[in-house]
Amino acid sequence: MSLLAVNGLSKSFGGVKAARDVTFDVAAGQLVAMIGPNGAGKSTTFSMVGGQLKPDSGEVILDGRRITGAGPRRAWRAGIGRTFQVTATFASLTVAGNIQSALMSAHRRLLDPLTWAGPLYRDEAVALAARVGLADEVDRPVGELAYGDLKRVELALALAGTPRLLLMDEPTAGMAAHERVELMALVADIARSENVGVLFTEHDMESVFAHADHVLVLHQGAIIARGTPGEIRADARVRAVYLGTAA
Amino acid sequence: MDLSFLLIQTLNGLASASALFIAACGLTIIFGVTRIVNFAHGAFYMIGAYLGVTLAVRFLDFSYGAPSFWAAIVLAAVLTGLLGAAMEMLLLRRIYRAPELFQLLATFAVVLIVEDAVIWLFGAQDILGPRAPGLKGAVMIAGERFPAYELLLVAAGPAVLAAIWLLLNRTRFGILVRAATHDRQMLAALGVNQAVLFTATVFLGCALAGLAGALQVPKQPATPHMDVNIIAEAFVVTVIGGMGSVTGAFLAAVLIGLLQAFGILVFPKITLVLVFLVMAVVLVVRPWGLLGTPEPEIRGEAALLVPLRRWDRKATIGVAVVFTLLALYPLVADAFALKLAIEAMVFALFALSLNLLLGHGGVISFGHAAWFGLGAYASALAVRHLGAPMELALLAAPLGAGLCALAAGWFIVRLSGVYLAMLTLAVAQLAYAVTFQWVEVTGGDNGLIGIWPSQWASDRIAYYYLTLALTGIAVAFLIRLVFTPFGHTLRAARDSALRAEAIGIDVRRQRLAAFAIAGSAAGLAGGLYVFSKGNIDPSVLSIPTSVDALAMALLGGIRTVTGPVVGAAGLHLLKDFVMPLTDYWRTLLGLTIIALVLLFPGGIVGTLVDFLRRRGAGEGAP
Amino acid sequence: MTNNRVTASSITRRTFAALAAGVGLVAGLGLGQPAHAADPIRIGELNSYSRFAAFTVPYRQGFELALEEINAAGGVDGRPLEVISRDDGATTGDAVRVAEELVSRDKVAFIFGTFLSNVGLAVADFANQNKTLFIAAEPLTDALTMAKGNRYTFRLRANTWMQVGMLVDAVKESGAKRWAIVAPNYEYGQSSAENFKQLAAAAIPGFEVVAEQYPALGKIDAGATVSALEQARPDAIFNVLFGGDLAQFVREGNTRGLFEGRTVASLLTGEPEWMLPLKDEAPEGWIVTGYPWEQIEDAPHKAFVDAYQAKYSDTPRLGSLLGYQLMYMIRDMLAKAGSTDTEAMIAALEGLQIDTVAGPVAMRAADNQATMGAWVGKLTVHEGKGRMVDWKYYDGGPFMHTEDAVKAARQD
Ligand SMILES: Nc1ncnc2c1ncn2[C@@H]1O[C@H](COP(=O)(O)OP(=O)(O)OP(=O)(O)O)[C@@H](O)[C@H]1O
Ligand SMILES: [Mg+2]
């Protein structure tokens, strides 16, 4: 059985149908890329899986359990870690502090009014920061970081909950070419070694074709093609609606 | 109750509704376009009334007759509008992008300055204006006499509504105003000169406030306090109607007008309570009001998201030194200096508790006086009605206030931004109204007196040490709290609620817990306060108390840990020093607030920490 | 002005004191010098100068006039009197804070003043706790000398019980039985209404109350209030409103004919501070307590009026008279006590006999209430202004609570 099963998700904003009947699966250890032009509905779909948006219809099943519309906290506890297209981090906290927040949440220490927070889970946080390539930035406030580094913080935050599924909305936006390669390699490594499913979007086709096991093409809210990178590269419709415009 | 009486009472209600609507619609228009909740709106209403009285007397002396009177009223409105435009150009223009908190405080600072200016210009005495020529008499309605002028007021509301409707729907200015209110992107697309649009809008809004004030001239005297009554009611109307909606304001004004007219018959004792209860309920059920639209954009406070200085040994030593000095203080201080110090400690706790919400939780509480006051009343009532000794009563203060804060917070944390601030204000006003009108229990306006400490603590020095011990523990707990997992994740939730939720942090629960803790701490401060003074009255729950707390926190620095303590002590001592020397304490406070908002948003401690950090960085550089 | 110093020379010293207290380092060091014969006697005063300027400003002018005369005549035992006057903010909280400042920072011998009854009660409670003498100026609630009275609190003016008694005496023959009551919803209004119900029930056979309205002080909705009273169709109305509330009530009532054909008994409305702002709208025919100063012919009173008008180019209000009398009472007290020791001053006040410009007054020891009376008369409009006619001065003595009632009510 697959890790994530998404069945018939739909969502509209006023008149705009941002997602229509979106159905797909992600298996543990598998990297699935979702591509499509701007406004295709990728982020909307991610947010419905991650719990930030309530779908109009359809269901989200993680590991056999329905988490449709249960909200982001339930999704996180169920094992979904995510990054946002527009980074969302805690600007006034340090890199370690950001990651520690997630660890405190994972260990259910959110209402603890007595322990010193500074040293709490700091070692784990430092290790996670090092893992995403932020070893030298551990004690810097994230408000001062470059955009690419913020994306790394987001990844570390997502990993802090030892997720089973990673949702990554444009994880390498704002990074230099060699950094992208590195980061995607890291993600792929995590997916394989820890058997984590990864669903990601990316405008950089090189990354997509280099790392994805499976590609979904979204257009105007609907999936118009799916298959291996090779199949997608060859698909005429995809070339017409997407690659043509993106080129 | 016969039919003619119902009719007359309805007309009474509609007459006050009209006045209320004219005042409130300016507020709602200004909010729609500039997104600023203009606390100073009541002040402009008051200016309108004073200008109206002054001009009407002059004009009628010059030539007695209706044209003179109405010319005076219109001129008063226009002049008030011009003053409003001046405020927009000098102040508001600089804070459109500032966090809501700063906007609310800056406009409140204008209130403080205008109140003093009015007394300075017109004197402290009430000024009863002339009656409107030709409308002095009464009209027979259903066998009862009804004042002609009030009949005119009944018609004035709908007339203004119609005029504004035409203005908004038939002119280019109106189209721009509506675009700004409902669709900001479109406004940008229309390529308008925003500065001119905003100034014109504030002019219009303030002119309407001035008109409402001037129209009161034949009905009630101009007094230096008329702004407070009207602004609270105008907020109620604006919120119920939906912020930004003129028609909504009209409906809400009619609702409130009738509620008050019939309220004094059915529930003569709880009219005020009813009004704020309605406002609170509307905010809870439908935050955007009857005809408003939900606010899509949530303004960030990114500018203020500075990192907290790490707590180190130096900080601990600093706190220990201050505590030791305070412990030794009675050796050198006389009774009065001790009393000042007691109050300064109480306010320090009060301001620090507010800052847990404001600075660390990112929750704009504009009604923190509620918890301070409820704590004070919990103590006082325990003494008065249960005969509790001081020790028990002091326990009742944090418990009572904390439980109330928990209950109210449950609703409050569901909202955000300016709606949240409005709900905290409504809750505080509700608490104020209850203590004010529940005369049997709270003594109403009379307050409760004779709330003195137990024998062992009645000596000033003993009470000083009691205060030092209790505030010391509470302050230490609050400071400590900032550096616990709870405080850490509370700040995380403030920085980004979206991210917090995505890593399993229940933002509302964190904020609710902060509310309960802040409420109890403020309540403890209130309890200590009441025993230090021996009495309590409802004014402790009023808006100025909340503003004092905000000003203290802001002065010290809301993004610092200990700043509010410094701010509270500083402001309290300054107030004590300055107040006996000048009549213009409020002006000074207002100017201080404006200076903080415009120039030092980091406050004393924030600016200092910043300076030290930069110097530190400078030293590190080669 | 919220802060008025009568002897200007002390400003710098006080500024220093404030600074010292504010900085919190050396407070108290420069203050406690021993008294020299020529050192002024410091007296603290607090009142609602910004909220109720109509009454309190003339009142201050009144006591300043007396102070000037007293000091010109050599003060008390060669020591001039110095009054440190502050605004009490018109709330109980502010007033107690200011009282405390006067006592512990300015080291005054005792305090006097206040306007609102609830504020007066709070300051009285403070005085009791702090063992400081307090002479109430304008708070009229009878509770101040009855149920909540204490041995440190004294009052010169006739209280609500006495003034209501005089009014009831003046209207009991009117034949009105169905009464409506309108009063501000705080101590003064509440106690006046209570007293009225008791006294009128005793004096008027068949007396009943058919409507009661208690608008919040300073927040009346006059139209609705007048309608609600009219609705009850009373024979007569007892009014306790004053200030801005009164102005609105009178205007609405006049327009709506509320007062036509009805007896209206009203506290304080004949006092110039509340009557003058009504101008030609002063409600004719009301039976009021007040102060027909221009018609009082006694020589001492005329001398007071002349001196007052000469100094301030303004006509006196009742507050002016009260302030003037109060300051002379303070002089007499200090002279009799021979010191500023609180117990000595209390002993001096108890049973003190004084000759005021309005006649002799005694301070009754049982309840610390003086026998000062009040003028009761009928309002008319004369030359565009309100004026009291058919008035008479009621001496306070016969209208006071009986000594038994005092014993039963007071807890000290
Ligand atoms: N909160 C919202 N309210 C209204 N419309 C929205 C909202 N969020 C998304 N939309 C609309 O839904 C559609 C899909 O948007 P979405 O952000 O999911 O696209 P996307 O594929 O992620 O695009 P991009 O590549 O630019 O990130 C767009 O037309 C967008 O304007
Ligand atoms: Mg997207």
Side-chain angles (χ1 to χ4, degrees), chain B residues 18-91:
Chain B
S18 276
L20 203 49
F21 163 67
I22 298 172
C25 76
L27 185 64
T28 217
I29 292 173
I30 292 176
F31 176 80
V33 172
T34 67
R35 294 292 189 274
I36 283 187
V37 178
N38 181 21
F39 237 111
H41 208 70
F44 286 97
Y45 169 89
M46 176 166 72
I47 291 174
Y50 271 98
L51 288 175
V53 171
T54 316
L55 293 172
V57 169
R58 296 273 153 80
F59 286 18
L60 289 175
D61 267 355
F62 180 70
S63 140
Y64 189 86
S68 301
F69 178 82
W70 292 108
I73 300 301
V74 171
L75 186 57
V78 171
L79 290 175
T80 309
L82 289 175
L83 285 172
M87 170 181 78
E88 196 277 338
M89 290 194 279
L90 294 174
L91 178 63

Side-chain angles (χ1 to χ4, degrees), chain B residues 5 9 12 129 131 144-145 150 218 225 329 336 339 445-446 450 452 460 533 535 537 576 580 583, chain C residues 2-3 24 51 92-93 96-97 100-101 105 118 125 187 190 227 231 233 251-252 255-257 260:
Chain B
F5 176 65
Q9 208 63 353
N12 283 333
R131 308 175 73 171
E144 303 273 351
R145 284 203 272 179
E150 243 144 281
H225 308 279
Y329 186 61
F336 188 72
K339 180 193 129 76
D445 229 357
N446 298 339
W452 297 106
R460 184 56 61 74
K533 304 184 54 133
N535 69 79
D537 69 85
D576 190 79
D583 298 331
Chain C
T2 56
N3 181 43
R51 267 299 291 283
T92 57
V96 170
R97 179 175 55 75
E100 163 103 50
E101 284 173 18
R105 180 157 75 188
N118 53 337
D125 178 59
E187 178 63 31
Q190 292 153 2
S227 295
Q231 164 72 5
R233 312 271 176 231
R251 204 168 252 194
E252 286 286 343
T255 315
R256 296 177 192 236
E260 281 168 23

Side-chain angles (χ1 to χ4, degrees), chain C residues 276-288:
Chain C
L276 289 181
L278 300 175
K279 299 191 189 124
D280 60 344
E281 292 170 53
E284 294 196 68
W286 283 24
I287 311 294
V288 298

Side-chain angles (χ1 to χ4, degrees), chain C residues 209-254:
Chain C
V209 175
V210 295
E212 291 172 82
Q213 284 290 326
Y214 295 96
L217 176 64
K219 299 196 176 106
I220 192 172
D221 181 352
T225 304
V226 166
S227 295
L229 294 179
E230 177 73 57
Q231 164 72 5
R233 312 271 176 231
D235 299 338
I237 297 166
F238 175 65
N239 168 60
V240 195
L241 301 172
F242 62 93
D245 291 335
L246 175 73
Q248 293 176 62
F249 178 69
V250 165
R251 204 168 252 194
E252 286 286 343
N254 277 340

Side-chain angles (χ1 to χ4, degrees), chain B residues 9-10 12-14 16 256-265, chain C residues 221 224:
Chain B
Q9 208 63 353
T10 307
N12 283 333
L14 291 177
S16 12
I256 294 297
L258 294 179
L259 192 68
Q260 283 176 331
F262 289 100
I264 79 164
L265 303 173
Chain C
D221 181 352

Side-chain angles (χ1 to χ4, degrees), chain C residues 85-339:
Chain C
S85 174
R86 298 274 310 272
D87 197 308
D88 69 11
T91 64
T92 57
D94 281 354
V96 170
R97 179 175 55 75
V98 170
E100 163 103 50
E101 284 173 18
L102 288 169
V103 172
S104 38
R105 180 157 75 188
D106 300 319
K107 314 276 192 232
V108 299
F110 65 95
I111 51 178
F112 72 99
T114 73
F115 177 87
L116 293 175
S117 285
N118 53 337
V119 172
L121 285 177
V123 174
D125 178 59
F126 162 81
N128 190 37
Q129 174 79 8
N130 214 51
K131 301 191 174 23
T132 300
L133 173 62
F134 168 52
I135 303 172
E138 177 65 3
L140 297 184
T141 176
D142 54 339
L144 192 74
T145 46
M146 292 290 283
K148 293 177 182 166
N150 62 61
R151 61 187 299 270
Y152 297 95
T153 301
F154 291 77
R155 171 170 47 205
L156 176 61
R157 265 202 89 179
N159 62 33
T160 49
W161 176 262
M162 296 159 74
Q163 296 206 37
V164 169
M166 297 168 194
L167 264 186
V168 167
D169 185 69
V171 298
K172 68 182 179 208
E173 307 298 343
S174 69
K177 300 198 186 313
R178 294 165 48 81
W179 284 78
I181 297 176
V182 55
N185 198 12
Y186 80 104
E187 178 63 31
Y188 165 65
Q190 292 153 2
S191 80
S192 302
E194 259 338 290
N195 290 341
F196 179 75
K197 285 186 204 165
Q198 266 189 52
L199 288 162
I204 303 173
F207 169 81
E208 70 176 309
V209 175
V210 295
E212 291 172 82
Q213 284 290 326
Y214 295 96
L217 176 64
K219 299 196 176 106
I220 192 172
D221 181 352
T225 304
V226 166
S227 295
L229 294 179
E230 177 73 57
Q231 164 72 5
R233 312 271 176 231
D235 299 338
I237 297 166
F238 175 65
N239 168 60
V240 195
L241 301 172
F242 62 93
D245 291 335
L246 175 73
Q248 293 176 62
F249 178 69
V250 165
R251 204 168 252 194
E252 286 286 343
N254 277 340
T255 315
R256 296 177 192 236
L258 176 66
F259 311 129
E260 281 168 23
R262 297 203 166 104
T263 303
V264 180
S266 183
L267 275 176
L268 313 190
T269 311
E271 296 177 1
E273 34 272 83
W274 315 125
M275 182 175 67
L276 289 181
L278 300 175
K279 299 191 189 124
D280 60 344
E281 292 170 53
E284 294 196 68
W286 283 24
I287 311 294
V288 298
T289 63
Y291 179 38
W293 61 274
E294 74 286 5
Q295 306 168 57
I296 299 171
E297 302 292 342
D298 308 335
H301 184 267
K302 269 192 131 30
F304 156 69
V305 170
D306 291 344
Y308 188 88
Q309 288 190 307
K311 183 166 163 66
Y312 299 112
S313 328
D314 192 7
T315 57
R317 313 289 197 269
L318 182 76
S320 319
L321 175 69
L322 177 69
Y324 190 79
Q325 291 171 310
L326 204 52
M327 190 47 70
Y328 271 103
M329 181 177 99
I330 286 169
R331 181 201 61 179
D332 292 355
M333 168 193 81
L334 288 170
K336 183 175 163 197
S339 89

